[in-house]
Amino acid sequence: MACVIVPAAEAIVTTVIKKIGDKKGSDSIFIQKMDWLNKMLWGGTALLTLEHVWHGEITPWFPFLTAAAEPQSVAEMLREMATNGVAMSIVVTSAWLVMVAVSAAMKKSSQTEASNPA
């Protein structure tokens, strides 16, 4: 239902952080590689939104989320956001952190090899 809202909110925040970091000319590897995270989050958000539209959980009319139409469903919607949405965001961000760590290790290794030819 509404689990897509959490990764979408994270995607908005990370996009803003990336733009601010680029303006300031940040040398942080996390800012440099944030494009990866943004693409993962926006792509996942787009696919989840499509899936929820396909199943009729998101509609083009107010209140947009079918679960928000009934007060009884709002608690379930919030629970889903807190469990599934947060879990998805954590998994995607963790995967990105692993990708950044591997990338940094590979870069460091190649620089070491270049400075110490065998």
Side-chain angles (χ1 to χ4, degrees), residues 3-11 37 41 45 48 81 83-96:
C3 60
V4 69
I5 292 172
V6 177
E10 183 183 1
L37 179 58
L41 288 168
T45 297
L48 276 171
M81 288 171 61
T83 55
N84 298 344
V86 170
M88 288 186 293
S89 290
I90 289 171
V91 168
V92 170
T93 303
S94 298
W96 172 73

Side-chain angles (χ1 to χ4, degrees), residues 21-98:
D22 287 347
K23 269 188 185 171
K24 291 184 177 183
S26 177
D27 289 337
S28 167
I29 189 166
F30 292 106
I31 297 296
Q32 293 173 359
K33 303 296 184 192
M34 196 160 285
D35 282 337
W36 294 351
L37 179 58
N38 288 336
K39 289 175 184 172
M40 292 165 65
L41 288 168
W42 284 118
T45 297
L47 288 173
L48 276 171
T49 301
L50 179 65
E51 186 270 336
H52 286 320
V53 168
W54 184 269
H55 288 108
E57 297 167 346
I58 298 176
T59 60
W61 53 84
F62 188 81
F64 307 111
L65 298 170
T66 56
E70 300 174 16
Q72 306 91 323
S73 301
V74 172
E76 181 184 342
M77 178 181 73
L78 293 174
R79 183 196 58 76
E80 182 181 341
M81 288 171 61
T83 55
N84 298 344
V86 170
M88 288 186 293
S89 290
I90 289 171
V91 168
V92 170
T93 303
S94 298
W96 172 73
L97 287 170
V98 169

Side-chain angles (χ1 to χ4, degrees), residues 7-20 34 38 42:
E10 183 183 1
I12 291 167
V13 170
T14 59
T15 299
V16 169
I17 291 170
K18 172 68 173 158
K19 293 207 182 282
I20 291 170
M34 196 160 285
N38 288 336
W42 284 118

